[in-house]
Amino acid sequence: MATDLHGTVIPRTAVRVRGLTRSFDGRPVIDGLDLALRAGEFTVLLGRSGCGKSTLLRILAGLDREIEGEVLVPERRAVAFQAPRLMPWKRVWRNVLLGLPGRPERERAERALAEVGLEHRVDAWPKTLSGGEAQRASLARALVREPDLLLLDEPFGALDALTRIKAQRLVAELWQRRGCAVLLVTHDVDEAVLLADRVLVMDEGRISCDVQVPLDRPRSAGDPGFADLRTRLLAELGVG
């Protein structure tokens, strides 16, 4: 559940942003942005490079606090980036528990790794993992926090085509199982239509387009309506 700074619960909303502005060297990258993300909803954020997508995600993750405006987010949130950011001197299970308070048990990491299909790599060193395995370990590190909001910053961008498809399916399965809100930042329109309940397009620091995805799950590019929605989103991005 989302809470304000006084701990007041905001029902049925995972994120609420009002009048958010983030400037760099006097230039607003995010400019008076308003946004609400519903609990349990899979939202994808599209936009051209430099439009503020990753900046917004970092703000929601609590990694950037030099802001103006109001941002209400769940206390339990986790983020996974394009680069898995695993510590090479720690075994995979220790990487999964990295940053958790107290002295969490190894079994907690093992459960998260099993959920992403890495139960056989618990004791591996990060340098021995494939790109797809490293990204799954990064997801396990996010999931072990039991997040109400999962933030994904282009997590599939560095993967080859086949591994990317597998990773997309895994994220969809994890979201359906966990029921948390997801915000995925990507440049890939097909990925957005494939995964999202809702697609947002960001332009010049604001949300310029907000589209619900009415397609049944599971989806494929051959589904009725997939191509139409893809064309609409590409037009919103100035392509086509």
Side-chain angles (χ1 to χ4, degrees):
M1 302 291 286
T3 61
D4 63 16
L5 295 178
H6 304 289
T8 304
V9 173
I10 305 168
R12 297 185 301 278
T13 302
V15 171
R16 187 169 299 280
V17 175
R18 295 188 181 97
L20 175 63
T21 297
R22 175 59 165 110
S23 299
F24 294 92
D25 298 325
R27 183 180 70 86
V29 174
I30 298 177
D31 189 9
L33 182 142
D34 295 324
L35 175 65
L37 302 181
R38 290 179 282 276
E41 186 175 54
F42 198 125
T43 305
V44 173
L45 184 61
L46 292 170
R48 290 187 284 268
S49 295
C51 72
K53 303 187 304 299
S54 292
T55 298
L56 174 60
L57 185 138
R58 287 179 58 82
I59 290 169
L60 297 181
L63 301 174
D64 185 344
R65 300 179 185 274
E66 299 296 318
I67 62 172
E68 299 174 20
E70 183 180 44
V71 177
L72 306 177
V73 294
E75 291 182 11
R76 294 193 306 179
R77 59 193 187 277
V79 59
F81 297 96
Q82 182 176 16
R85 302 186 179 188
L86 302 178
M87 302 300 177
W89 57 88
K90 291 181 178 289
R91 294 188 186 272
V92 168
W93 74 270
R94 292 190 181 277
N95 266 281
V96 169
L97 298 179
L98 202 64
L100 288 178
R103 296 178 61 87
E105 299 289 337
R106 173 186 167 122
E107 287 76 13
R108 189 170 174 183
E110 290 176 344
R111 289 194 298 271
L113 287 164
E115 194 171 6
V116 300
L118 278 185
E119 59 270 29
H120 60 298
R121 304 293 270 152
V122 171
D123 287 307
W125 295 105
K127 67 180 181 180
T128 70
L129 301 181
S130 69
E133 287 175 334
Q135 195 55 261
R136 280 188 279 161
S138 177
L139 281 172
R141 186 171 56 195
L143 293 172
V144 80
R145 286 157 171 76
E146 300 289 338
D148 294 314
L149 174 64
L150 179 60
L151 301 161
L152 303 173
D153 193 2
E154 301 195 58
F156 318 124
L159 303 179
D160 63 79
L162 181 58
T163 306
R164 185 183 184 111
I165 291 170
K166 292 179 179 178
Q168 289 169 343
R169 289 175 179 169
L170 174 62
V171 166
E173 291 169 2
L174 292 171
W175 164 70
Q176 289 176 325
R177 189 181 310 140
R178 292 292 189 111
C180 60
V182 175
L183 179 63
L184 166 66
V185 169
T186 182
H187 286 94
D188 189 328
V189 172
D190 283 5
E191 185 170 274
V193 179
L194 184 69
L195 294 174
D197 293 321
R198 178 185 179 200
V199 180
L200 307 175
V201 177
M202 198 167 182
D203 185 38
E204 296 185 354
R206 297 188 179 187
I207 304 300
S208 61
C209 180
D210 186 340
V211 179
Q212 294 293 323
V213 180
L215 306 177
D216 294 333
R217 298 177 187 274
R219 300 170 184 162
S220 74
D223 290 338
F226 193 105
D228 290 342
L229 186 52
R230 180 180 184 274
T231 299
R232 176 181 175 186
L233 291 170
L234 286 171
E236 292 287 345
L237 292 164
V239 180

